[in-house]
Structure formats: structure tokens, C-alpha cells
Amino acid sequence: MYDERVPRLWNATIDEHRRTVHAAILDTTAALVAEQGLAGVTMSQIAARAGIGRATLYKYFPDVEAIVVAWHERQVGEHLAQLTQAASADAEPGERLRTVLSTLAELTGGRHQPGTAPVGHGPDLAVPLHRAEHLHHARHQLHALLTGVVRAAAEAGTVRTDVSAAELAAFCLHALGAAADLPATRAARGRLVDVTLAALRPA
Amino acid sequence: MYDERVPRLWNATIDEHRRTVHAAILDTTAALVAEQGLAGVTMSQIAARAGIGRATLYKYFPDVEAIVVAWHERQVGEHLAQLTQAASADAEPGERLRTVLSTLAELTGGRHQPGTAPVGHGPDLAVPLHRAEHLHHARHQLHALLTGVVRAAAEAGTVRTDVSAAELAAFCLHALGAAADLPATRAARGRLVDVTLAALRPA
């Protein structure tokens, strides 16, 4: 599309501009969905709120669902990055396990500012999201990450060894999903992590 | 619709006939969805397999989604009845809690015969099911049921009291969801129930 003789610097600027617009579209859509639910959000609304023309918006995304999936994909990527960082912290294995579980509980149940947590939890969003390939992949990555952390803690003697690290990791992932049903407070999430860790303790 | 002068016995027979056809439609649809996924199933297929005419089928349900929702509603009702029975068994509270958790794990992860478990778990089904009002209601009933069982066990000293019975019940419901990710064996479900119960033990 771009003339190849255009200087590199110019291309870099265009790329940056595209990324900025892309991000603004995702942020705007997330905020609108959080405010009024997926069903009510239109491409025209998104364009207006993002301060771009409708034609421009359609160059980036074909419909609202595609934007929501892209937004969710970005969220999942950011969450995985956060968890990977927590998992590689310089601490003893048991402490690292607690940090990872706390981060997971927070990502599941915390942060109900507009534009973040409500998207991805509302029933409205189940339609586009359950079709998203990236979710399946991300769940696998998450399970692998947590299995490693649990295994290290088991080898250090902090976690039971009568059940495999993979099964315990699956248990933790599901158990921490309860954070979505609890009061969105640090105390409630702390209790959930404590209860989950109690299940993992050696007999 | 029926002539009021028709004898009662005749009405009863018609009612019974309708119930039989209704159940056959649900069973047939569940089997077809399990075999080939929701997307491929048509009303014509269902009618043919159930041995009724298409016009008759449309007198019962407007579309495949409506049948799947009705099927799922029936399943949920049956599961709640099973759990209610487990919860009212004549046993000491700790034992009753274990029975209820085992039943839940089995309902979540067991029984992969065609026509039972795959329906309601496949991603295909998320579309009709996430809209189903009855699921929300059933989750509430399930949570209330389990909270009662956990509270009784806490009062008997078998379960920790530093976290509320309602929060522990939410924890259990989510944790036992891991049964869907485990091997569909009694042993794997037994380990999951053991790990879950370990989380609930008093410190």
C-alpha cells in the first residue's frame, strides 16, 4: 500500500499512528460496552467517541464483535505477561505460588473500573468471546505456567505431592474463578487465596 | 384447544402423549448435538430421528436452540434434585458435605456418554445457553444448597469458621468445575474432592 521509496522514518511514524488509533478504538469500545452493554454499541458510536471517521474505523475492524475480541486478546496478553512476571519473581517457591495465585485472583475479581473488568464478564460478551481461538490458547499457557510454579513449590516441600502439579494447577485456576462471585475487595480475595493454598498444603 | 366435554381420561392420555413426545425431542436433539455439534443439527433431522413430522416438531419448539435450552433446563433440574437428595442424606454433616461435593464433581466431569455430558460443555452450546435465564436461577439454588451443607459441617466442627459458609460454598462450586478438565475417571474426581475438602478443614 505504501510507496516503497518513502523514507523508513515516515513508515515508522505511520505504524505508530496506526497502533495509537488501534489502541484508542479498543479502549473506546471497552468503555462503551462497560457503560451500556454490547448490544447497544454501534460502529458509529465508537467512531464518534474515538474521534475518527466511520470509514477509517472500518479500515481497522469489520464490526463491533471483532473489536471486542481484539480488546479481549490484548487484555489476556497483558494478564499473561503480569502472571509470567509474578511467576519469575526472585522469591522462594511457596511465596512465588502465593504471589501468582493472588495476581490471578485480582485479575479475575478485582478492578471494576469502567472499561476493564466488566468487559469479558458480562453475559453479552459470551457470544463473540467463546469463539475466540486465543482464549483456548491462553488457557493452555496459563495452565502450563501455573503447573510450573506448583511443581517448584511441591519440590520445595510446600505443596502436597500426592496429586500431580498439573491437576493442582487446574484446581487452582477453577477455584480462583470464585473471585468473580465474591465482593471485589482485597480482603475477600485474600481469603480465597488462603483457602486455595490450604488445599495444596502437604497432609 | 381440547373440547371440554372430552372425558378427563382422554385429556390425561393426551397430556402423557405430549410429555412423551416432548421428552423424545429433547433426547434426540441431545444425541444429535453430541454426535455432530450444534451447528450441524436441523429441525428436519430431529423430526426424522424422533419419528415425528416436521410440522409436529414445530408445534413443540420454534427452533433447535429452544430445544437445547429446554434439554439443558431438564438436565439442570435433574441435577439439582440429585444434589438436594445428597444434601438431605441421613449422615453426619462432614460426610454429607463429602457426598454433595462428590455428586457435584461427578455431574460436572463424569458421564461422557453421547447425549449427556457433551451437551452443555461444548463451545457450540455457549450461544443458546448463556442466554438461558434458568441457569442463573439454578446457580443461585445450588449455591444456597451448598451453603447450608457447609454451614452445618462448620457448626459440627468439620469445616473452618474463619471464612463464611457462603464464600466457602462459592469456592467449592468453582473448584469442582475443574472436574471438566480432569480425566473423566472416578479416581481423578476423588482426588479433586479430597483437595477441595482439604481447603475447608479447620486450621
Side-chain angles (χ1 to χ4, degrees):
Chain A
M1 192 175 169
Y2 302 123
D3 188 327
E4 285 188 5
R5 289 162 303 176
V6 165
R8 267 157 195 251
L9 189 63
W10 182 235
N11 276 334
T13 309
I14 290 175
D15 273 1
E16 203 189 306
H17 175 71
R18 281 188 65 84
R19 273 198 300 276
T20 307
V21 174
H22 193 273
I25 294 169
L26 301 193
D27 294 339
T28 303
T29 307
L32 284 169
V33 170
E35 282 167 30
Q36 61 193 59
L38 180 63
V41 178
T42 64
M43 291 294 270
S44 303
Q45 259 188 322
I46 295 167
R49 175 85 76 101
I52 57 176
R54 269 185 90 231
T56 305
L57 178 57
Y58 277 104
K59 278 187 197 150
Y60 286 80
F61 293 101
D63 52 35
V64 177
E65 275 199 18
I67 306 177
V68 170
V69 169
W71 174 85
H72 195 255
E73 212 165 331
R74 187 180 70 177
Q75 284 287 98
V76 166
E78 285 170 5
H79 290 181
L80 274 174
Q82 245 179 289
L83 289 163
T84 305
Q85 196 180 13
S88 58
D90 187 22
E92 62 91 12
E95 208 34 61
R96 222 153 56 204
L97 176 59
R98 177 181 285 276
T99 306
V100 171
L101 295 188
S102 300
T103 308
L104 257 170
E106 202 184 323
L107 292 175
T108 307
R111 306 213 236 153
H112 284 281
Q113 302 100 341
T116 57
V119 181
H121 289 293
D124 263 337
L125 281 168
V127 183
L129 293 183
H130 88 275
R131 297 186 187 280
E133 254 308 300
H134 71 274
L135 264 189
H136 187 70
H137 182 60
R139 265 193 220 108
H140 268 276
Q141 279 186 278
L142 188 52
H143 182 256
L145 177 82
L146 192 53
T147 300
V149 176
V150 169
R151 185 174 294 125
E155 281 162 7
T158 330
V159 159
R160 61 200 296 166
T161 52
D162 58 336
V163 178
S164 75
E167 282 191 22
L168 291 177
F171 166 83
C172 291
L173 286 177
H174 281 271
L176 293 172
D181 290 347
L182 298 181
T185 64
R186 181 177 292 269
R189 291 195 295 274
R191 290 194 295 274
L192 177 60
V193 170
D194 282 344
V195 169
T196 306
L197 280 170
L200 269 50
R201 222 157 277 148
Chain B
M1 193 176 168
Y2 302 122
D3 189 326
E4 284 187 7
R5 289 161 305 174
V6 165
R8 266 156 196 253
L9 189 62
W10 182 234
N11 276 333
T13 309
I14 290 175
D15 273 1
E16 200 188 308
H17 175 72
R18 282 189 63 85
R19 272 198 300 275
T20 308
V21 175
H22 192 273
I25 294 169
L26 301 193
D27 294 340
T28 303
T29 307
L32 284 170
V33 170
E35 281 167 32
Q36 60 194 59
L38 180 64
V41 178
T42 64
M43 291 294 270
S44 304
Q45 259 187 323
I46 295 166
R49 175 85 77 98
I52 57 176
R54 268 184 92 232
T56 306
L57 178 57
Y58 278 104
K59 278 185 196 150
Y60 285 80
F61 294 103
D63 53 35
V64 178
E65 276 199 16
I67 305 178
V68 170
V69 169
W71 174 84
H72 195 254
E73 211 164 334
R74 186 181 70 178
Q75 285 287 98
V76 167
E78 284 169 7
H79 290 181
L80 273 175
Q82 245 179 289
L83 288 163
T84 305
Q85 197 180 12
S88 58
D90 187 22
E92 61 92 10
E95 210 33 63
R96 222 154 56 205
L97 176 59
R98 177 181 286 275
T99 306
V100 171
L101 296 188
S102 300
T103 307
L104 257 171
E106 202 184 323
L107 292 175
T108 307
R111 306 212 236 152
H112 284 282
Q113 301 101 341
T116 56
V119 181
H121 289 294
D124 263 337
L125 282 167
V127 183
L129 293 183
H130 88 274
R131 297 186 188 281
E133 254 308 301
H134 70 274
L135 264 188
H136 186 71
H137 182 60
R139 266 194 221 108
H140 268 275
Q141 279 185 278
L142 188 51
H143 182 255
L145 177 82
L146 192 53
T147 300
V149 176
V150 169
R151 185 174 294 124
E155 280 162 7
T158 329
V159 159
R160 62 199 297 168
T161 52
D162 58 336
V163 178
S164 76
E167 282 191 21
L168 291 176
F171 165 84
C172 290
L173 286 177
H174 281 270
L176 292 171
D181 289 346
L182 297 180
T185 65
R186 182 177 290 270
R189 291 195 293 275
R191 290 194 294 275
L192 178 60
V193 170
D194 282 344
V195 169
T196 306
L197 280 170
L200 268 49
R201 221 157 278 148

